Amino acid sequence: MFGGFLGNPPPPTALSCFDAPAQAPVFTGGFSGVPASSGDSVSLGGIGKQSQVQAFERPEDLVRQAIQRGVLQHLVAAPPQWHSQHAAPSPLQVLIQNTTSSSTEQQTINASPPPPPLPPAPPLHTWEGLRHFFKEFWASPFNRLFTLGALGAFIYIYQGRQQHRWRMAEMQRRIDSNPFLRFWNQLLPPSR
């Protein structure tokens, strides 16, 4: 009545290629029929009933079953190592020994006091002070740039003013040398 786990297996029936087997066969170690190792048995669904199913199976199913047999044979032959690798490691005992200590050491070194600062130099006389001032002033690049720029601007403005004076003097000389312009200048004096 109860087959499988609780009692004797049910009688074998004819299977088609789409039916699942009713009982899991025992793997006998490849095509030779010799068990892979003593005491080991691995179940493959439907492989033990080759004589009944071979007439209905396709070549792809046969290749798949051969691969499954080879993998299971390899797994049965290898010792189970994954249990020891994935097992939780035993707790590690850590021993902490804390100690505190402090020490103070003071050393007093009597060093000689620093020398007193030098007194300021006496003021220089007029020419010496002026020469010293210009020497320090000219030592700075910014001061040199400013001085040369100011001197160039002064010369540019002075040259422009002198050129304007020369043009006005030349115009007045031309007016005085031309009789028509002199007469017109006397009738209508220039507005200034």
Side-chain angles (χ1 to χ4, degrees):
M1 177 171 148
F2 295 104
F5 294 108
L6 299 178
N8 294 333
T13 59
L15 296 175
S16 70
C17 62
F18 301 107
D19 292 339
Q23 174 189 6
V26 174
F27 180 61
T28 58
F31 296 108
S32 64
V34 178
S37 62
S38 61
D40 292 340
S41 65
V42 178
S43 64
L44 285 176
I47 295 177
K49 300 183 181 191
Q50 292 177 359
S51 61
Q52 298 173 359
V53 181
Q54 282 181 352
F56 301 104
E57 290 183 353
R58 295 179 292 183
E60 296 88 19
D61 293 338
L62 293 174
V63 170
R64 183 173 36 90
Q65 289 175 359
I67 291 173
Q68 286 177 349
R69 268 190 242 111
V71 169
L72 286 175
Q73 182 180 5
H74 178 70
L75 289 176
V76 167
Q81 297 175 357
W82 64 276
H83 289 294
S84 62
Q85 290 176 353
H86 296 292
S90 61
L92 180 66
Q93 292 184 357
V94 178
L95 201 59
I96 299 174
Q97 295 177 348
N98 286 340
T99 60
T100 57
S101 64
S102 65
S103 64
T104 57
E105 295 180 15
Q106 294 182 351
Q107 294 180 350
T108 304
I109 299 173
N110 292 331
S112 61
L118 297 173
L124 300 173
H125 296 294
T126 356
W127 291 111
E128 289 177 12
L130 190 60
R131 183 172 173 246
H132 181 69
F133 169 74
F134 280 126
K135 187 177 178 182
E136 285 184 2
F137 181 80
W138 197 251
S140 170
F142 181 73
N143 288 343
R144 281 188 292 220
L145 180 68
F146 176 74
T147 303
L148 292 176
L151 182 65
F154 174 73
I155 291 173
Y156 177 75
I157 292 171
Y158 180 74
Q159 186 266 342
R161 185 169 184 262
Q162 290 300 66
Q163 187 178 9
H164 177 70
R165 274 188 171 180
W166 178 78
R167 275 191 272 129
M168 288 296 131
E170 187 67 26
M171 193 184 321
Q172 191 61 42
R173 188 184 63 76
R174 285 186 180 179
I175 290 173
D176 290 342
S177 67
N178 191 342
F180 178 72
L181 288 176
R182 191 176 354 143
F183 173 71
W184 190 260
N185 195 14
Q186 286 175 354
L187 277 176
L188 297 169
S191 63
R192 293 188 181 184

